[in-house]
Amino acid sequence: MAASGMIMQNIFIAKRYQKNSQFVNQNRMGCSSPYMSCTLPFQGGKFAWDGTTSMQLVNVSKYQRTSVNRGLVLCNAAPSAAAVPALEKADFLKLQNGSDIRGVAVAGVEGEPVNLTEPVTEAIAAAFAAWLKDKKKEETSRRLSISIGHDSRISAQTLQDAVSRGISSMGVDVIQYGLASTPAMFNSTLTEDDAFLCPVDGSIMITASHLPYNRNGFKFFTSAGGLGKADIKNILERAADIFKNSSFEDKRNEASASVKRVDYMTVYTSGLVKAVRRAAGNIEKPLEGFHIVVDAGNGAGGFFAAKVLEPLGAITSGSQFLEPDGLFPNHIPNPEDKVAMKAITQAVLDNKADLGIIFDTDVDRSAAVDSTGREFNRNRLIALMSAIVLEEHPGTTIVTDSVTSDGLTTFIENKLGGKHHRFKRGYKNVIDEAIRLNSTGEESHLAIETSGHGALKENHWLDDGAYLMVKVLNKLASARASGAGGGSRVLTDLVEGLEEAAVAVELRLKIDQNHPDLKGGSFRDYGEAVLEHLENSIDLDPKLQKAPVNYEGLRVSGFGGWFLLRLSLHDPVLPLNIEAPTHDDAVKLGLAVLAAGKEFSALDTSALDKFVQVS
């Protein structure tokens, strides 16, 4: 009951905070200057926005935090009171999630203690500023600037203020964008516009993608792109040292002097609009008459309907979940999620729309649905984008992650005349591989994951779900301009001939790190041993064949399908992907993995056991 009460208390706080945050955003959008400090007064013991008395929040005072230069009561992040716990470098390094940082920012979920506190956040932001100063010291002696944006999470405002304090403490200027998208943050390092204080030297996006409401994290950018794993590790090591040597005294007044606020999303969205108009021959409203619905999942992507589609002439009635709500009450903002895809599909059908577009929380991933309810996500989205890109760049190489289908390879190479380069999981891995191929003379214009992460060479290899959808809109607009007809039929026709497996599953085989079988070793070593044993068994089976070129795990063909067993990038898990023409064929592939896996006691094969029995 105690845990339940805490969760309910946090939900109450979250709702109050969300309402407050939305008011701030609305108030800020009313500013006439590109950058202006808009404030919301806290007067007479009441929130100015709805008259709620401070007494009504007396039981949640330990979550309250007055924000920098705003006079707002911000709730739900861990308190940064005087008693700051001692943290070791290893504690900071645990926050690394590949090329991102992620942690728990909101209390109330049992078994998930807060580790992304305000002091920790200040230290991380200060470390990024110090890292950036080191990178730029030979280029310039001027004062540097870093932009900050966030998605709709309930801890976003509090963390933004902590990030601002950390950056300011290093003598670097802070430019806050408020509610923004991850792609826009990277773009702010490239935009040249003095009126909007661009370009910035570095950028931080406060987001945890589609993870639950209590999580948050950071993505970092310079004009060279997103930071890599080694850079993130370096920043976290610096942060640990800064944390250890900091007293965390109140820096609010000190920080506010170097903080400005800019409506950068106006710049970013106008660029998307111009791109579609340009593709249609500079027609002012190339989407006039098209009915396109947007599902933002209550994340940061609600701007796309009013700021991109409507200026292009599209009808957007029936769009849903556009308002930011960090509790994500309708569905997970994730184009891979079945519930999310069902929601946008139903919206398209109910509104008899030409197209549906769905984004993840921070808009670096997307998917689409045509007028018949056919989904363009995962392999189909890659096929669609490959068709569009290969029309513009015949013969180019399409780089994807490791779990794409054999049917996609056949489609790209035999139907479209391109080359499919299947690489590792992880959007940064895929993008970096495309960049590497270009540096060696192999032309590549598209890097895209089945998750919906996609980047194009023409767009500075920016991982941008909104820009992917702009490429789709370009196709609609240019088809109409050339007299090829309206609707989304042109998109459906582009993926005609893509062979799709009747059975496609992903099973997660967990490694028990406490099992005596590990003998104190790492789960990675144990997982590698499983893969090696499976590979040896495959070599002895004439019905199965290893992929001749493979960059991750073990990919094997047989029984008309394939499987891929690999080590998770971050977790003690061996994900197993199986695709096959029938359930029986999929079971045969699963049994081959199961036979080898049973030799390892610390490997939990229950998910695979269930699959081969049920199927």
Side-chain angles (χ1 to χ4, degrees):
M1 288 298 292
S4 175
M6 177 65 78
I7 292 171
M8 290 305 296
Q9 185 186 68
N10 273 273
I11 290 174
F12 167 77
I13 299 166
K15 284 297 186 184
R16 287 293 181 198
Y17 168 73
Q18 185 62 39
K19 194 172 183 181
N20 196 24
S21 179
Q22 287 172 357
F23 188 99
V24 175
N25 287 331
Q26 290 166 5
N27 194 35
R28 186 177 298 150
M29 285 190 291
C31 297
S32 57
S33 170
Y35 55 95
M36 181 182 293
S37 175
C38 295
T39 60
L40 181 63
F42 180 76
Q43 300 169 340
K46 295 185 177 183
F47 286 112
W49 47 264
D50 73 349
T52 303
T53 66
S54 57
M55 287 183 66
Q56 288 175 284
L57 294 179
V58 67
N59 290 328
V60 296
S61 61
K62 70 176 180 177
Y63 295 101
Q64 295 173 352
R65 176 95 172 155
T66 303
S67 73
V68 176
N69 201 30
R70 266 191 203 85
L72 302 180
V73 174
L74 300 176
C75 309
N76 234 343
S80 59
V84 177
L87 293 175
E88 300 297 329
K89 191 164 291 188
D91 295 311
F92 275 85
L93 292 177
K94 288 176 184 176
L95 294 170
Q96 180 162 5
N97 185 65
S99 54
D100 303 340
I101 289 173
R102 290 181 183 174
V104 178
V106 176
V109 177
E110 189 174 1
E112 296 187 9
V114 172
N115 56 7
L116 202 59
T117 63
E118 291 181 64
V120 166
T121 296
E122 287 183 33
I124 291 170
F128 174 60
W131 176 90
L132 188 65
K133 289 174 79 171
D134 284 349
K135 291 288 182 182
K136 296 279 187 178
K137 64 184 177 183
E138 293 183 4
E139 299 176 25
T140 181
S141 58
R142 61 175 171 77
R143 189 175 172 98
L144 302 182
S145 64
I146 295 175
S147 61
I148 311 170
H150 60 75
D151 65 20
S152 61
R153 291 175 180 278
I154 59 179
S155 55
Q157 192 74 52
T158 303
L159 293 189
Q160 176 182 261
D161 294 334
V163 168
S164 299
R165 293 193 294 274
I167 293 171
S168 298
S169 71
M170 300 303 296
V172 175
D173 288 335
V174 176
I175 307 171
Q176 295 179 352
Y177 291 169
L179 188 69
S181 70
T182 291
M185 300 313 296
F186 175 29
N187 214 57
S188 69
T189 68
L190 304 174
T191 299
E192 295 186 5
D193 193 328
D194 291 339
F196 287 86
L197 309 180
C198 288
V200 293
D201 299 289
S203 185
I204 300 176
M205 178 64 180
I206 303 171
T207 182
S209 189
H210 61 281
L211 293 182
Y213 81 93
N214 66 321
R215 309 295 183 86
N216 218 325
F218 311 109
K219 295 181 180 180
F220 304 88
F221 301 96
T222 67
S223 59
L227 271 58
K229 294 179 183 178
D231 296 322
I232 298 300
K233 183 181 179 183
N234 183 299
I235 288 169
L236 287 171
E237 288 174 340
R238 289 173 184 249
D241 292 336
I242 291 171
F243 184 92
K244 184 177 180 180
N245 297 314
S246 175
S247 61
F248 294 100
E249 68 276 9
D250 197 325
K251 302 187 183 83
R252 288 177 183 78
N253 294 330
E254 173 189 329
S256 63
S258 61
V259 174
K260 294 184 175 67
R261 297 180 181 85
V262 171
D263 181 17
Y264 178 76
M265 289 301 289
T266 299
V267 180
Y268 172 73
T269 55
S270 67
L272 299 178
V273 170
K274 289 174 184 176
V276 180
R277 287 175 177 157
R278 191 164 51 244
N282 295 317
I283 299 172
E284 181 72 12
K285 295 190 174 182
L287 298 179
E288 192 162 21
F290 280 106
H291 190 170
I292 303 173
V293 295
V294 175
D295 185 327
N298 301 113
F303 69 85
F304 201 81
K307 300 294 186 181
V308 178
L309 293 175
E310 290 175 14
L312 293 168
I315 301 163
T316 62
S317 58
S319 292
Q320 58 193 17
F321 317 139
L322 304 183
E323 65 285 351
D325 186 337
L327 292 178
F328 311 124
N330 295 292
H331 62 69
I332 297 171
N334 182 1
E336 284 191 289
D337 182 67
K338 291 181 180 179
V339 175
M341 290 307 298
K342 184 178 180 180
I344 182 61
T345 299
Q346 196 62 49
V348 168
L349 298 176
D350 288 348
N351 291 279
K352 297 181 172 55
D354 296 301
L355 186 71
I357 292 173
I358 185 169
F359 296 111
D360 76 337
T361 318
D362 58 325
V363 203
D364 58 1
R365 295 190 293 142
S366 59
V369 176
D370 73 9
S371 58
T372 69
R374 181 182 175 90
E375 298 175 0
F376 292 107
N377 66 344
R378 299 186 63 80
N379 284 291
R380 277 190 210 154
L381 177 63
I382 298 174
L384 176 61
M385 292 306 304
S386 297
I388 291 171
V389 169
L390 279 159
E391 278 187 356
E392 300 169 352
H393 305 282
T396 196
T397 295
I398 309 297
V399 181
T400 74
D401 58 343
S402 60
V403 298
T404 47
S405 70
D406 287 346
L408 180 66
T409 302
T410 301
F411 180 77
I412 290 173
E413 299 190 344
N414 296 352
K415 172 92 185 283
L416 302 179
K419 180 180 177 182
H420 183 195
H421 183 83
R422 188 183 285 116
F423 197 57
K424 300 176 182 178
R425 288 280 282 187
Y427 70 93
K428 193 72 168 61
N429 289 331
V430 173
I431 292 171
D432 287 348
E433 180 68 0
I435 294 171
R436 186 192 70 79
L437 289 177
N438 279 286
S439 72
T440 64
E442 182 174 343
E443 182 190 74
S444 175
H445 284 268
L446 174 65
I448 185 167
E449 259 203 321
T450 49
S451 65
H453 282 287
L456 292 127
K457 183 179 181 182
E458 70 185 54
N459 195 36
H460 309 283
W461 293 116
L462 173 55
D463 183 32
D464 190 343
Y467 193 82
L468 283 192
M469 291 301 104
V470 160
K471 293 294 287 185
V472 172
L473 297 177
N474 287 351
K475 193 63 188 173
L476 293 178
S478 60
R480 169 177 284 180
S482 65
S488 57
R489 178 74 196 190
V490 62
L491 305 178
T492 310
D493 289 347
L494 283 175
V495 298
E496 186 179 350
L498 173 65
E499 297 174 6
E500 298 183 82
V503 180
V505 296
E506 180 172 290
L507 307 171
R508 295 174 68 80
L509 312 184
K510 297 179 181 179
I511 299 171
D512 180 0
Q513 298 185 84
N514 297 318
H515 196 283
D517 211 23
L518 263 69
K519 297 175 182 176
S522 73
F523 76 84
R524 293 200 164 278
D525 291 340
Y526 196 82
E528 292 291 352
V530 174
L531 289 169
E532 184 178 352
H533 180 67
L534 176 59
E535 184 173 5
N536 291 335
S537 67
I538 296 303
D539 288 338
L540 301 175
D541 191 335
K543 296 177 182 177
L544 300 173
Q545 184 176 5
K546 290 186 300 185
V549 179
N550 188 53
Y551 294 94
E552 182 174 43
L554 182 65
R555 189 179 179 108
V556 175
S557 297
F559 305 107
W562 60 272
F563 74 75
L564 173 71
L565 186 68
R566 61 184 175 85
L567 256 173
S568 169
L569 295 175
H570 314 295
D571 304 315
V573 172
L574 285 164
L576 171 64
N577 292 83
I578 300 175
E579 288 194 7
T582 69
H583 281 291
D584 287 345
D585 292 323
V587 167
K588 291 173 185 175
L589 291 168
L591 287 170
V593 177
L594 190 60
K598 287 297 184 183
E599 300 292 323
F600 294 82
S601 302
L603 185 66
D604 179 4
T605 60
S606 57
L608 183 53
D609 289 330
K610 184 177 179 181
F611 175 74
V612 299
Q613 290 166 7
V614 171
S615 301

